[in-house]
Coordinates of all heavy atoms in Angstrom, one line a residue:
M412 N 0.8 -1.2 0.0 CA 0.0 0.0 0.0 C 0.8 1.2 0.0 O 1.7 1.5 0.9 CB -0.9 -0.1 1.3 CG -2.2 0.8 1.1 SD -3.5 0.2 2.2 CE -2.8 0.8 3.7
T413 N 0.8 2.0 -1.0 CA 1.6 3.2 -1.1 C 1.1 4.5 -0.4 O 1.7 5.2 0.2 CB 1.9 3.5 -2.5 OG1 0.7 3.6 -3.2 CG2 2.8 2.5 -3.1
S414 N -0.3 4.7 -0.6 CA -0.8 5.8 0.1 C -1.4 5.5 1.4 O -1.9 4.4 1.6 CB -2.0 6.5 -0.8 OG -2.0 5.8 -2.0
I415 N -1.3 6.4 2.4 CA -1.8 6.1 3.7 C -2.7 7.3 4.2 O -2.4 8.5 4.0 CB -0.5 6.1 4.7 CG1 0.3 4.8 4.4 CG2 -1.1 6.0 6.1 CD1 1.6 4.8 5.1
C416 N -3.8 6.8 4.7 CA -4.8 7.8 5.2 C -4.2 8.5 6.3 O -3.7 7.9 7.3 CB -6.1 7.1 5.5 SG -7.3 8.2 6.5
T417 N -4.3 9.9 6.4 CA -3.7 10.6 7.5 C -4.8 10.9 8.6 O -4.5 11.7 9.5 CB -3.2 12.0 7.0 OG1 -4.3 12.6 6.2 CG2 -2.0 11.7 6.0
H418 N -6.0 10.4 8.5 CA -7.0 10.7 9.4 C -7.3 9.6 10.4 O -8.2 9.7 11.2 CB -8.4 11.0 8.6 CG -8.1 12.1 7.6 ND1 -7.8 11.7 6.3 CD2 -8.3 13.3 7.7 CE1 -7.7 12.9 5.6 NE2 -8.0 13.8 6.4
T419 N -6.5 8.6 10.4 CA -6.8 7.4 11.3 C -6.7 7.7 12.8 O -7.3 7.1 13.5 CB -5.9 6.2 10.9 OG1 -4.6 6.7 10.9 CG2 -6.2 5.7 9.5
E420 N -5.9 8.7 13.1 CA -5.8 9.1 14.5 C -7.1 9.6 15.1 O -7.2 9.7 16.3 CB -4.7 10.2 14.6 CG -3.2 9.5 14.6 CD -2.2 10.4 15.0 OE1 -2.5 11.6 15.4 OE2 -1.0 10.1 14.9
G421 N -8.0 10.1 14.2 CA -9.3 10.6 14.6 C -10.3 9.5 14.8 O -11.4 9.8 15.2
I422 N -9.9 8.3 14.5 CA -10.9 7.2 14.6 C -11.2 6.9 16.1 O -10.3 6.7 16.9 CB -10.4 5.9 13.9 CG1 -10.4 6.1 12.4 CG2 -11.2 4.7 14.3 CD1 -9.9 5.0 11.6
V423 N -12.5 7.0 16.5 CA -12.8 6.8 17.8 C -13.5 5.4 17.9 O -13.4 4.6 18.9 CB -13.8 7.9 18.3 CG1 -14.2 7.6 19.7 CG2 -13.1 9.2 18.2
V424 N -14.4 5.1 17.0 CA -15.3 3.9 17.0 C -14.8 2.9 16.0 O -14.6 3.2 14.8 CB -16.7 4.3 16.7 CG1 -17.6 3.1 16.9 CG2 -17.2 5.5 17.4
T425 N -14.3 1.7 16.5 CA -13.7 0.7 15.5 C -14.7 -0.4 15.4 O -14.8 -1.1 14.4 CB -12.4 0.3 16.0 OG1 -12.5 -0.2 17.4 CG2 -11.3 1.3 16.0
E426 N -15.4 -0.8 16.5 CA -16.2 -2.0 16.5 C -17.7 -1.6 16.2 O -18.2 -0.6 16.7 CB -16.2 -2.6 17.9 CG -14.9 -3.2 18.2 CD -14.4 -4.3 17.2 OE1 -15.3 -5.1 16.7 OE2 -13.2 -4.3 16.9
L427 N -18.3 -2.4 15.4 CA -19.8 -2.2 15.1 C -20.6 -2.5 16.4 O -20.2 -3.4 17.2 CB -20.2 -3.2 14.0 CG -19.4 -3.1 12.7 CD1 -19.9 -4.2 11.8 CD2 -19.9 -1.8 12.0
P428 N -21.7 -1.8 16.5 CA -22.6 -2.1 17.7 C -23.2 -3.5 17.5 O -23.2 -4.0 16.4 CB -23.7 -1.1 17.6 CG -23.6 -0.5 16.2 CD -22.2 -0.7 15.7
A429 N -23.5 -4.2 18.6 CA -23.9 -5.5 18.6 C -25.2 -5.6 17.7 O -25.4 -6.7 17.1 CB -24.2 -6.0 20.1
L430 N -26.1 -4.6 17.8 CA -27.3 -4.7 17.1 C -27.4 -3.4 16.3 O -27.3 -2.3 16.8 CB -28.4 -4.8 18.1 CG -29.7 -5.3 17.6 CD1 -29.6 -6.7 17.2 CD2 -30.9 -5.1 18.6
I431 N -27.6 -3.6 15.0 CA -27.7 -2.4 14.0 C -29.1 -2.5 13.5 O -29.5 -3.5 12.7 CB -26.7 -2.5 12.9 CG1 -25.3 -2.4 13.5 CG2 -26.9 -1.4 12.0 CD1 -24.2 -2.5 12.4
A432 N -30.0 -1.5 13.8 CA -31.4 -1.5 13.4 C -31.4 -1.2 11.9 O -32.3 -1.7 11.1 CB -32.1 -0.5 14.2
G433 N -30.4 -0.4 11.3 CA -30.4 0.0 10.0 C -29.9 1.4 9.8 O -29.3 1.9 10.9
C434 N -30.0 2.0 8.8 CA -29.6 3.4 8.5 C -30.5 4.3 9.4 O -31.6 4.3 9.3 CB -29.7 3.8 7.1 SG -29.4 5.5 6.7
E435 N -29.8 5.0 10.3 CA -30.5 5.9 11.2 C -31.4 6.9 10.5 O -32.5 7.1 10.9 CB -29.5 6.6 12.1 CG -28.7 5.8 13.0 CD -27.6 6.5 13.8 OE1 -27.6 7.9 13.8 OE2 -26.7 5.9 14.4
D436 N -30.9 7.4 9.4 CA -31.6 8.5 8.8 C -32.8 7.9 7.8 O -33.8 8.5 7.7 CB -30.7 9.3 7.8 CG -29.6 10.0 8.8 OD1 -30.0 10.6 9.7 OD2 -28.5 9.8 8.4
C437 N -32.5 6.7 7.3 CA -33.6 6.0 6.6 C -34.7 5.6 7.5 O -35.9 5.8 7.2 CB -33.1 4.8 5.8 SG -32.2 5.2 4.2
L438 N -34.4 5.1 8.6 CA -35.4 4.7 9.7 C -36.2 6.0 10.0 O -37.4 5.8 10.2 CB -34.7 4.1 10.8 CG -34.1 2.7 10.6 CD1 -33.3 2.4 11.8 CD2 -35.2 1.7 10.4
A439 N -35.6 7.1 10.1 CA -36.3 8.4 10.5 C -37.3 8.8 9.4 O -38.3 9.3 9.8 CB -35.3 9.4 10.9
I440 N -36.9 8.6 8.1 CA -37.9 9.0 7.1 C -38.6 7.9 6.3 O -39.3 8.1 5.4 CB -37.0 9.8 6.0 CG1 -36.0 8.9 5.4 CG2 -36.4 11.0 6.6 CD1 -35.3 9.6 4.1
G441 N -38.4 6.7 6.8 CA -39.1 5.5 6.2 C -38.5 5.2 5.0 O -39.2 4.6 4.1
G442 N -37.2 5.4 4.7 CA -36.5 5.1 3.5 C -35.9 3.6 3.5 O -36.0 3.0 4.6
T443 N -35.4 3.3 2.4 CA -34.7 1.9 2.4 C -33.3 2.1 2.0 O -32.8 3.1 1.4 CB -35.4 1.0 1.3 OG1 -35.3 1.7 0.0 CG2 -36.8 0.8 1.7
W444 N -32.5 1.0 2.2 CA -31.0 1.1 2.0 C -30.5 -0.2 1.4 O -31.3 -1.2 1.5 CB -30.3 1.4 3.3 CG -30.6 0.5 4.3 CD1 -29.9 -0.7 4.5 CD2 -31.5 0.5 5.4 NE1 -30.5 -1.4 5.7 CE2 -31.5 -0.7 6.2 CE3 -32.6 1.4 5.7 CZ2 -32.4 -0.9 7.2 CZ3 -33.4 1.2 6.7 CH2 -33.3 0.0 7.5
V445 N -29.3 -0.1 0.9 CA -28.7 -1.3 0.2 C -27.7 -1.9 1.2 O -27.7 -3.0 1.7 CB -28.2 -1.0 -1.1 CG1 -27.5 -2.3 -1.7 CG2 -29.2 -0.4 -2.1
H446 N -26.6 -1.1 1.4 CA -25.6 -1.5 2.4 C -25.5 -0.5 3.4 O -25.8 0.7 3.3 CB -24.2 -1.7 1.7 CG -24.3 -2.8 0.6 ND1 -24.5 -4.0 0.9 CD2 -24.2 -2.7 -0.7 CE1 -24.5 -4.7 -0.2 NE2 -24.3 -4.0 -1.2
L447 N -24.9 -0.8 4.6 CA -24.7 0.1 5.7 C -23.3 0.4 5.9 O -22.4 -0.4 5.8 CB -25.3 -0.5 7.0 CG -26.8 -0.6 7.0 CD1 -27.3 -1.4 8.2 CD2 -27.5 0.6 6.8
R448 N -23.0 1.7 6.4 CA -21.6 2.1 6.7 C -21.8 2.8 8.1 O -22.7 3.4 8.4 CB -21.2 3.2 5.7 CG -21.3 2.8 4.2 CD -20.2 1.8 3.8 NE -20.4 1.3 2.5 CZ -20.7 0.1 2.2 NH1 -21.0 -0.8 3.1 NH2 -20.7 -0.2 0.9
M449 N -20.6 2.6 8.9 CA -20.6 3.2 10.1 C -19.5 4.3 10.3 O -18.4 4.0 9.9 CB -20.4 2.2 11.3 CG -20.4 2.8 12.7 SD -19.9 1.6 14.0 CE -18.1 1.6 13.7
C450 N -19.9 5.5 10.7 CA -18.9 6.7 10.8 C -18.0 6.2 12.0 O -18.4 5.8 13.1 CB -19.6 7.9 11.2 SG -18.6 9.3 11.6
Q451 N -16.7 6.3 11.8 CA -15.8 5.9 12.8 C -15.4 7.0 13.7 O -14.5 6.9 14.6 CB -14.5 5.2 12.2 CG -14.9 4.0 11.4 CD -13.8 3.0 11.3 OE1 -13.2 3.0 10.3 NE2 -13.6 2.2 12.3
T452 N -16.0 8.2 13.5 CA -15.8 9.3 14.4 C -16.9 9.3 15.6 O -16.6 9.5 16.7 CB -15.8 10.6 13.7 OG1 -14.9 10.6 12.6 CG2 -15.5 11.8 14.6
C453 N -18.1 9.0 15.1 CA -19.2 9.2 16.1 C -20.1 8.0 16.1 O -21.1 8.0 17.0 CB -20.0 10.4 15.8 SG -21.0 10.3 14.3
G454 N -19.9 7.0 15.3 CA -20.7 5.8 15.3 C -22.0 5.9 14.6 O -22.8 4.9 14.6
H455 N -22.2 7.0 13.8 CA -23.5 7.1 13.0 C -23.5 6.0 12.0 O -22.5 5.7 11.3 CB -23.4 8.5 12.3 CG -24.4 8.6 11.3 ND1 -24.3 8.3 10.0 CD2 -25.7 9.2 11.4 CE1 -25.4 8.6 9.3 NE2 -26.3 9.2 10.1
I456 N -24.7 5.3 11.9 CA -25.0 4.3 10.9 C -25.7 5.0 9.7 O -26.8 5.5 9.9 CB -25.8 3.2 11.4 CG1 -25.1 2.5 12.7 CG2 -26.1 2.1 10.3 CD1 -23.9 1.7 12.4
G457 N -25.1 4.9 8.6 CA -25.7 5.5 7.4 C -25.7 4.5 6.2 O -25.1 3.4 6.3
C458 N -26.4 4.8 5.2 CA -26.4 3.9 4.0 C -25.4 4.3 2.9 O -25.0 5.4 2.8 CB -27.8 3.8 3.5 SG -28.6 5.4 3.1
C459 N -25.1 3.3 2.1 CA -24.0 3.5 1.1 C -24.4 4.3 -0.1 O -25.5 4.6 -0.2 CB -23.5 2.1 0.7 SG -24.8 1.3 -0.3
D460 N -23.5 4.5 -1.1 CA -23.8 5.2 -2.2 C -24.6 4.4 -3.2 O -25.1 5.0 -4.3 CB -22.5 5.7 -2.9 CG -22.0 6.9 -2.2 OD1 -22.6 7.4 -1.2 OD2 -20.9 7.4 -2.5
S461 N -24.9 3.1 -3.0 CA -25.8 2.4 -3.9 C -27.3 2.6 -3.3 O -28.2 2.1 -4.0 CB -25.5 0.9 -3.9 OG -24.1 0.8 -4.4
S462 N -27.4 3.1 -2.2 CA -28.7 3.4 -1.6 C -29.3 4.7 -2.1 O -28.5 5.6 -2.4 CB -28.6 3.4 -0.1 OG -28.0 2.2 0.4
P463 N -30.6 4.8 -2.2 CA -31.3 6.0 -2.8 C -30.9 7.3 -2.1 O -30.7 8.3 -2.7 CB -32.7 5.7 -2.7 CG -32.9 4.3 -2.4 CD -31.6 3.8 -1.8
N464 N -30.7 7.2 -0.8 CA -30.4 8.5 0.0 C -29.0 8.7 0.3 O -28.7 9.8 0.9 CB -31.3 8.4 1.3 CG -32.8 8.4 0.8 OD1 -33.3 9.3 0.2 ND2 -33.5 7.4 1.3
K465 N -28.1 7.7 0.2 CA -26.7 8.0 0.4 C -26.4 8.7 1.7 O -25.7 9.7 1.7 CB -26.1 8.8 -0.8 CG -26.3 8.1 -2.2 CD -25.6 9.0 -3.2 CE -25.5 8.4 -4.6 NZ -26.9 8.1 -5.1
H466 N -26.9 8.2 2.8 CA -26.9 8.9 4.0 C -25.4 8.9 4.7 O -25.1 9.8 5.4 CB -27.8 8.4 5.1 CG -29.2 8.8 4.8 ND1 -30.3 8.0 4.8 CD2 -29.7 10.0 4.7 CE1 -31.4 8.7 4.5 NE2 -31.1 9.9 4.5
A467 N -24.6 7.9 4.4 CA -23.3 7.9 4.9 C -22.4 9.0 4.3 O -21.8 9.7 5.0 CB -22.6 6.6 4.6
T468 N -22.6 9.2 3.0 CA -21.9 10.3 2.4 C -22.5 11.7 2.9 O -21.8 12.7 3.0 CB -22.1 10.2 0.8 OG1 -21.5 9.0 0.4 CG2 -21.3 11.4 0.2
A469 N -23.8 11.8 3.0 CA -24.5 13.0 3.4 C -23.9 13.3 4.9 O -23.7 14.4 5.2 CB -25.9 12.8 3.5
H470 N -23.7 12.3 5.7 CA -23.2 12.5 7.0 C -21.8 13.1 6.9 O -21.5 14.0 7.7 CB -23.2 11.2 7.8 CG -22.6 11.2 9.2 ND1 -23.2 11.8 10.2 CD2 -21.4 10.8 9.7 CE1 -22.5 11.8 11.4 NE2 -21.4 11.2 11.0
H471 N -21.0 12.6 6.1 CA -19.6 13.1 5.9 C -19.7 14.6 5.5 O -19.0 15.4 6.1 CB -18.9 12.3 4.9 CG -17.7 13.0 4.3 ND1 -16.6 13.4 5.1 CD2 -17.5 13.5 3.1 CE1 -15.8 14.1 4.2 NE2 -16.3 14.1 3.1
R472 N -20.6 14.9 4.5 CA -20.7 16.3 4.1 C -21.2 17.2 5.2 O -20.6 18.3 5.3 CB -21.6 16.3 2.9 CG -21.1 15.8 1.6 CD -21.6 16.5 0.4 NE -21.3 15.7 -0.8 CZ -22.1 14.9 -1.3 NH1 -23.3 14.7 -0.7 NH2 -21.8 14.1 -2.3
E473 N -22.1 16.7 6.0 CA -22.7 17.6 7.1 C -21.7 17.8 8.2 O -21.6 18.8 8.8 CB -23.9 17.0 7.6 CG -25.1 17.2 6.7 CD -26.3 16.4 7.1 OE1 -26.4 15.9 8.3 OE2 -27.1 16.0 6.3
T474 N -20.9 16.7 8.6 CA -20.1 16.8 9.8 C -18.6 16.9 9.6 O -17.9 17.2 10.4 CB -20.3 15.4 10.6 OG1 -19.9 14.3 9.8 CG2 -21.8 15.2 11.0
G475 N -18.2 16.5 8.4 CA -16.8 16.5 8.1 C -16.1 15.3 8.7 O -14.8 15.2 8.6
H476 N -16.8 14.4 9.2 CA -16.3 13.1 9.7 C -15.6 12.3 8.6 O -16.4 12.1 7.7 CB -17.3 12.3 10.5 CG -17.8 13.0 11.8 ND1 -18.9 12.5 12.4 CD2 -17.3 14.1 12.5 CE1 -19.0 13.3 13.5 NE2 -18.2 14.3 13.5
P477 N -14.3 12.0 8.5 CA -13.7 11.6 7.3 C -13.9 10.1 7.0 O -13.8 9.8 5.8 CB -12.2 11.9 7.5 CG -12.0 11.9 9.1 CD -13.4 12.4 9.7
I478 N -14.0 9.2 8.1 CA -13.8 7.8 7.8 C -15.1 7.0 8.2 O -15.7 7.2 9.3 CB -12.6 7.3 8.5 CG1 -11.4 8.0 8.1 CG2 -12.4 5.8 8.4 CD1 -10.1 7.7 8.9
V479 N -15.5 6.1 7.3 CA -16.6 5.2 7.6 C -16.0 3.8 7.4 O -15.0 3.6 6.8 CB -17.8 5.3 6.7 CG1 -18.5 6.6 6.9 CG2 -17.4 5.2 5.2
R480 N -16.6 2.8 8.1 CA -16.2 1.4 7.8 C -17.5 0.7 7.4 O -18.7 1.2 7.6 CB -15.6 0.7 9.0 CG -16.5 0.6 10.2 CD -16.1 -0.5 11.1 NE -16.5 -1.8 10.6 CZ -16.1 -3.0 11.2 NH1 -15.3 -3.0 12.2 NH2 -16.5 -4.2 10.6
S481 N -17.3 -0.4 6.7 CA -18.5 -1.2 6.3 C -19.1 -1.7 7.5 O -18.5 -2.2 8.5 CB -18.0 -2.3 5.5 OG -19.2 -3.1 5.1
A482 N -20.4 -1.7 7.5 CA -21.2 -2.3 8.7 C -21.9 -3.6 8.1 O -22.8 -4.0 8.7 CB -22.3 -1.3 9.2
E483 N -21.4 -4.2 7.0 CA -21.9 -5.4 6.5 C -21.2 -6.6 7.2 O -20.0 -6.5 7.4 CB -21.7 -5.5 5.0 CG -22.4 -4.4 4.3 CD -23.9 -4.5 4.4 OE1 -24.5 -5.7 4.2 OE2 -24.6 -3.6 4.7
P484 N -22.0 -7.7 7.4 CA -21.4 -8.9 8.1 C -20.2 -9.4 7.3 O -20.1 -9.5 6.0 CB -22.5 -9.9 8.0 CG -23.7 -9.1 7.8 CD -23.3 -7.9 7.1
G485 N -19.1 -9.6 7.9 CA -17.9 -10.1 7.3 C -17.0 -9.1 6.6 O -15.9 -9.4 6.1
E486 N -17.5 -7.9 6.5 CA -16.6 -6.9 5.9 C -16.0 -6.0 7.0 O -16.7 -5.5 7.9 CB -17.6 -6.0 5.0 CG -18.0 -6.8 3.8 CD -18.7 -5.9 2.8 OE1 -18.9 -4.7 3.0 OE2 -19.3 -6.5 1.8
D487 N -14.7 -5.8 6.8 CA -14.0 -4.9 7.9 C -13.2 -3.7 7.2 O -12.4 -3.2 7.9 CB -13.1 -5.8 8.7 CG -12.0 -6.4 7.9 OD1 -12.0 -6.4 6.6 OD2 -11.1 -7.1 8.5
W488 N -13.5 -3.4 6.0 CA -12.7 -2.3 5.4 C -13.3 -0.9 5.8 O -14.4 -0.8 6.2 CB -12.7 -2.5 3.9 CG -14.1 -2.6 3.3 CD1 -14.6 -3.8 3.0 CD2 -15.0 -1.6 2.9 NE1 -15.9 -3.6 2.5 CE2 -16.2 -2.2 2.4 CE3 -15.0 -0.2 3.0 CZ2 -17.3 -1.4 2.0 CZ3 -16.1 0.6 2.6 CH2 -17.2 -0.1 2.1
S489 N -12.4 0.0 5.8 CA -12.7 1.4 6.1 C -12.5 2.2 4.8 O -11.7 1.8 3.9 CB -11.8 2.0 7.2 OG -12.1 1.2 8.4
W490 N -13.2 3.4 4.7 CA -13.0 4.2 3.5 C -12.9 5.7 4.1 O -13.7 6.1 4.9 CB -14.3 4.1 2.7 CG -14.4 5.1 1.6 CD1 -15.2 6.3 1.7 CD2 -13.7 5.1 0.4 NE1 -15.0 6.9 0.5 CE2 -14.2 6.3 -0.3 CE3 -12.8 4.3 -0.2 CZ2 -13.7 6.6 -1.6 CZ3 -12.3 4.6 -1.5 CH2 -12.8 5.7 -2.2
C491 N -11.9 6.3 3.6 CA -11.8 7.8 4.0 C -12.3 8.6 2.8 O -11.8 8.5 1.7 CB -10.3 8.0 4.2 SG -10.0 9.9 4.6
Y492 N -13.2 9.5 3.1 CA -13.8 10.2 2.1 C -12.8 11.3 1.6 O -12.9 11.8 0.5 CB -15.0 11.0 2.6 CG -16.3 10.1 2.7 CD1 -16.7 9.6 3.9 CD2 -17.0 9.7 1.6 CE1 -17.9 8.8 4.1 CE2 -18.2 9.0 1.6 CZ -18.5 8.5 2.9 OH -19.6 7.6 2.9
V493 N -12.0 11.8 2.6 CA -11.1 12.9 2.2 C -10.0 12.4 1.3 O -9.7 13.0 0.3 CB -10.5 13.5 3.4 CG1 -9.5 14.6 3.1 CG2 -11.6 14.0 4.4
D494 N -9.4 11.3 1.6 CA -8.3 10.7 0.8 C -8.8 9.8 -0.3 O -8.1 9.4 -1.3 CB -7.4 9.9 1.6 CG -6.6 10.8 2.7 OD1 -6.2 11.9 2.4 OD2 -6.5 10.4 3.8
E495 N -10.1 9.5 -0.3 CA -10.7 8.6 -1.2 C -9.8 7.3 -1.2 O -9.3 6.8 -2.3 CB -10.9 9.2 -2.6 CG -11.8 10.4 -2.6 CD -12.1 10.8 -4.0 OE1 -11.2 10.7 -4.9 OE2 -13.2 11.3 -4.1
L496 N -9.7 6.7 -0.1 CA -8.8 5.6 0.2 C -9.5 4.6 1.0 O -10.2 4.8 2.0 CB -7.6 6.1 0.9 CG -6.3 5.4 0.9 CD1 -5.7 5.4 -0.6 CD2 -5.2 6.0 1.8
M497 N -9.3 3.3 0.5 CA -9.9 2.1 1.2 C -8.8 1.5 1.9 O -7.6 1.4 1.4 CB -10.6 1.2 0.2 CG -11.3 0.1 0.9 SD -12.2 -1.0 -0.3 CE -13.6 -0.1 -0.6
F498 N -9.0 1.1 3.2 CA -7.9 0.5 4.0 C -8.5 -0.4 5.0 O -9.7 -0.3 5.3 CB -7.0 1.5 4.6 CG -7.7 2.5 5.5 CD1 -7.7 2.3 6.8 CD2 -8.2 3.6 4.9 CE1 -8.4 3.2 7.7 CE2 -8.8 4.6 5.8 CZ -8.9 4.4 7.1
R499 N -7.7 -1.3 5.6 CA -8.2 -2.0 6.8 C -7.4 -1.6 8.0 O -6.1 -1.4 8.0 CB -7.9 -3.5 6.6 CG -9.1 -4.2 5.8 CD -9.0 -5.6 5.8 NE -10.1 -6.3 5.2 CZ -10.3 -6.3 3.9 NH1 -9.3 -5.8 3.0 NH2 -11.3 -6.8 3.3
L500 N -8.0 -1.5 9.1 CA -7.4 -1.1 10.4 C -6.8 -2.3 11.0 O -7.5 -3.4 11.0 CB -8.4 -0.4 11.4 CG -8.9 0.9 11.0 CD1 -10.0 1.2 11.9 CD2 -7.8 1.9 11.1
R501 N -5.5 -2.3 11.4 CA -5.0 -3.4 12.0 C -5.5 -3.7 13.4 O -5.7 -2.7 14.1 CB -3.4 -3.3 12.1 CG -2.8 -3.0 10.8 CD -2.1 -4.3 10.3 NE -1.8 -4.2 8.9 CZ -0.6 -3.6 8.4 NH1 0.2 -3.1 9.2 NH2 -0.4 -3.6 7.2
P502 N -5.8 -4.8 13.8 CA -6.3 -5.1 15.1 C -5.2 -4.6 16.1 O -4.1 -4.9 15.9 CB -6.5 -6.6 15.2 CG -6.5 -7.1 13.8 CD -5.8 -6.1 13.0
A503 N -5.6 -4.0 17.2 CA -4.7 -3.5 18.2 C -4.0 -4.6 18.9 O -4.6 -5.7 19.1 CB -5.4 -2.5 19.2
Ligands
ZN1258 ZN1 -7.8 10.1 5.3
ZN1259 ZN1 -30.1 6.1 4.7
ZN1260 ZN1 -19.9 10.8 12.3

């Protein structure tokens, strides 16, 4: 890997919650989602860019929180919106 995300020090939330009801914002408006992403700054659960409302990206735009991780079963990759970089966090 040649490029390195410079925002990983700001990561607060690494583990997914035990129970994920769905995209917080879709649940609020009665929307539907395809895949879920979790903000690693505040733990916000939003939907991916394949979903109609793209709430994970909207959350990044609103808050400036740079990094989300996949909230899909078996997926552990993270994505930095600022660097447009996909990476995996090493287990501590
Ligand atoms: Zn970054
Ligand atoms: Zn959503
Ligand atoms: Zn956030």
Side-chain angles (χ1 to χ4, degrees):
M412 204 156 71
T413 52
S414 351
I415 295 169
C416 168
T417 55
H418 305 90
T419 51
E420 285 189 5
I422 289 179
V423 180
V424 189
T425 54
E426 294 299 321
L427 298 172
L430 202 67
I431 299 176
C434 169
E435 294 174 13
D436 300 309
C437 283
L438 289 169
I440 63 171
T443 57
W444 58 87
V445 180
H446 299 297
L447 295 174
R448 307 285 178 248
M449 182 187 75
C450 173
Q451 298 205 265
T452 305
C453 70
H455 171 272
I456 302 286
C458 50
C459 70
D460 282 357
S461 301
S462 308
N464 296 302
K465 302 182 172 64
H466 282 129
T468 301
H470 176 75
H471 159 66
R472 287 214 193 90
E473 282 169 22
T474 61
H476 296 166
I478 299 169
V479 292
R480 63 158 282 173
S481 174
E483 295 299 310
E486 293 186 2
D487 62 355
W488 51 264
S489 297
W490 171 258
C491 177
Y492 283 107
V493 181
D494 295 318
E495 298 191 327
L496 204 64
M497 187 178 280
F498 58 93
R499 275 192 176 78
L500 292 169
R501 302 263 165 83

